[in-house]
């Protein structure tokens, strides 16, 4: 990631030109063509009357910022939107109250066809991918989301900016308040054309920059 390169240059006094940034691609791909990705994006309806589905994936509840994500979705629901949150990869700590808009799917193993198909469906059926990580070296899962044309929402920390940007998603400041982030998302929910544009740009970034074929060539 750019983040790792900058730190290496600074820490070891290396010439900038000696380090090339070549990020990882996706470990989970659904090879859409241009026609099918547009069809998928157009099928996602934004309305206060319809369920707006958010997806979050991570194996460490705290490091992946699940509590922050839940707070953001809660604010959106309080603003009058009908939002749900699917969490894959981890379960909440004991005695933590699970709000009724949360759906827990546990750990899904990509090596098992049943789990892989379930994960595919979650990506395809979601409107947004959200991951409020406390630390992230890169975030391969953002590329996986982009391969489905999903706009991602995440803090601008570590290597995340090497996988998503504000054109095809929403990069927020470190420690930005949940209510402020919810307000940014709500503006997007009220602008169908902008949402569609971000979805297309998210897929384009994956297709043109962050997939394994491009990375292998580089």
């Amino acid at each position: 990631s750019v983040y790792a390169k900058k730190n290496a240059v600074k820490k070891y006094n290396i010439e900038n030109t000696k380090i090339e940034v070549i990020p990882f691609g996706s470990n989970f791909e659904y090879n859409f063509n241009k026609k099918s990705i547009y069809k998928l994006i157009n099928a996602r309806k934004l309305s206060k009357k319809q369920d707006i589905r958010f997806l979050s994936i991570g194996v460490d509840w705290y490091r992946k910022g699940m509590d922050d994500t839940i707070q953001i979705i809660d604010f959106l629901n309080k603003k009058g939107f009908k939002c749900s949150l699917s969490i894959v990869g981890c379960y909440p700590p004991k005695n933590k109250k699970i709000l009724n808009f949360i759906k827990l799917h546990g750990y899904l193993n990509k090596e098992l066809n049943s789990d892989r198909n379930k994960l595919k469906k979650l990506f395809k059926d979601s409107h947004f991918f959200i991951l409020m990580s406390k630390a992230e070296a890169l975030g391969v899962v953002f590329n996986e989301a982009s391969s489905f044309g999903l706009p991602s929402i995440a803090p601008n920390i570590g290597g995340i900016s090497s996988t998503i940007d504000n054109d095809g998603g929403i990069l927020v400041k470190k420690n930005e308040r949940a209510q402020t982030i919810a307000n940014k998302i709500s503006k997007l929910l009220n602008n169908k054309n902008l949402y569609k544009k971000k979805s297309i740009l998210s897929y384009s970034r994956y297709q043109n920059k962050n997939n394994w074929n491009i990375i292998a060539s580089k």
Side-chain angles (χ1 to χ4, degrees), residues 112-129:
L112 301 176
N113 285 335
S114 58
D115 283 6
R116 189 175 181 85
N117 288 334
K118 186 175 182 179
L119 197 53
K120 273 185 185 179
K121 183 170 174 54
L122 286 168
F123 273 115
K124 287 180 72 175
D125 291 348
S126 296
H127 292 82
F128 293 93
F129 182 77

Side-chain angles (χ1 to χ4, degrees), residues 68-85:
D68 293 337
T69 296
I70 290 170
Q71 194 176 8
I72 291 166
I73 307 305
D74 193 32
F75 272 121
L76 285 170
N77 280 315
K78 288 173 180 175
K79 286 173 74 70
F81 296 99
K82 184 182 175 184
C83 300
S84 64
L85 171 65

Side-chain angles (χ1 to χ4, degrees), residues 1-6 16 19-24 138 162 209 215 218:
S1 67
V2 173
Y3 157 79
K5 175 178 178 175
K6 286 181 177 178
N16 190 65
I19 302 178
E20 187 70 32
V21 175
I22 305 178
F24 289 123
L138 180 70
S162 288
K209 187 174 181 179
I215 292 163
K218 192 172 183 180

Side-chain angles (χ1 to χ4, degrees), residues 1 5 17 35 37 46 52 59 62 66 83 151 209:
S1 67
K5 175 178 178 175
T17 55
K35 183 178 179 180
I37 196 71
L46 293 181
I52 298 167
V59 295
Y62 175 74
M66 294 302 177
C83 300
K209 187 174 181 179

Side-chain angles (χ1 to χ4, degrees), residues 83-94:
C83 300
S84 64
L85 171 65
S86 288
I87 297 177
V88 175
C90 61
Y91 286 104
K94 291 180 180 179

